[in-house]
Amino acid sequence: MKVTLFTAMSLNGIIARKNGDEDFLSNDNWNSFSDLVNSFQNFIVGRKTFEAVKNWNEGYDFDDFKAAKKIVVSGDHNYKLDGGYFLALNPKKALEILKGKGFNRVLIAGGSGLNSSFAKANLIDEVILNVESVIIGEGIPLFLSNDFELNLKLVDVKKISNSIVQLHYKVTK
Ligand SMILES: NC(=O)c1ccc[n+]([C@@H]2O[C@H](COP(=O)([O-])OP(=O)(O)OC[C@H]3O[C@@H](n4cnc5c(N)ncnc54)[C@H](OP(=O)(O)O)[C@@H]3O)[C@@H](O)[C@H]2O)c1
């Protein structure tokens, strides 16, 4: 199973403001995410990201990815999800669910806590970062602080728009 982590962030690695807003990220980041979901036909998000995106404006809705298999990771066995979403109790279970549905590659879509859980379990094979042209002094970082280290090999750099550079890395294991 190949596991790809995608995130859009400020130049200094902030993925959302302290209050969860992502207003400093341009719309092209959502388009990048949509392209990846359409290619992978699946994604995995943490429970807090799932709840944050539910409150976003029209045009930014996980429900719009109708055909994609959507996994929400939460430690709460009783967490209720609408149709189209599957609950996984930890990262390994999330991968097992998608493997059982025939996938051999999966997309991790954050946030910070989930990214760290996957990193700590050494489950990430590839990292794609959209770097927005902004520096945000405080907020939620790409990875929640935890005891892990990933060594990377840079495989590609693309200019996505006038404000976004996309960095594509392989994790060397
Ligand atoms: N810029 C971007 O590309 C991007 C992408 C994604 C998210 N975000 C932003 O990031 C913020 C959310 O990030 P976050 O770090 O606060 O939360 P998060 O990573 O979305 O969700 C954390 C939750 O996921 C579950 N979880 C994580 N690891 C787990 C494990 N090993 N086992 C079981 N459950 C686990 C837990 O849910 P329970 O508490 O229910 O157990 C945990 O509280 C939002 O503001 C969102 O907008 C930005």
Side-chain angles (χ1 to χ4, degrees), residues 59-132:
Y60 302 97
D61 192 337
F62 286 156
D63 289 356
D64 292 341
F65 302 108
K66 298 213 183 309
K69 302 290 180 226
K70 302 178 277 292
I71 311 284
V72 177
V73 180
S74 168
D76 179 358
H77 291 69
N78 297 315
Y79 193 69
K80 291 278 170 287
L81 288 164
D82 296 336
Y85 293 86
F86 300 88
L87 177 68
L89 293 175
N90 59 53
K92 276 202 172 140
K93 296 265 186 219
L95 298 184
E96 279 167 25
I97 291 171
L98 289 172
K99 196 173 177 193
K101 294 185 182 306
F103 290 99
N104 58 15
R105 57 184 198 135
V106 305
L107 183 64
I108 311 302
S112 183
L114 188 75
N115 293 346
S116 280
S117 290
F118 271 89
K120 174 98 177 149
N122 201 22
L123 291 173
I124 303 172
D125 299 302
E126 199 177 51
V127 178
I128 300 176
L129 298 176
N130 274 16
V131 180
E132 184 76 51

Side-chain angles (χ1 to χ4, degrees), residues 16-47:
R17 294 189 195 277
K18 268 180 20 178
N19 67 2
D21 281 358
E22 297 186 24
D23 56 319
F24 57 91
L25 296 172
S26 55
N27 183 55
D28 287 317
N29 289 298
W30 183 262
N31 295 337
S32 286
F33 173 64
S34 301
D35 289 346
L36 285 167
V37 174
N38 290 330
S39 166
F40 280 70
Q41 285 303 314
N42 67 59
F43 63 89
I44 301 172
V45 287
R47 191 261 309 162

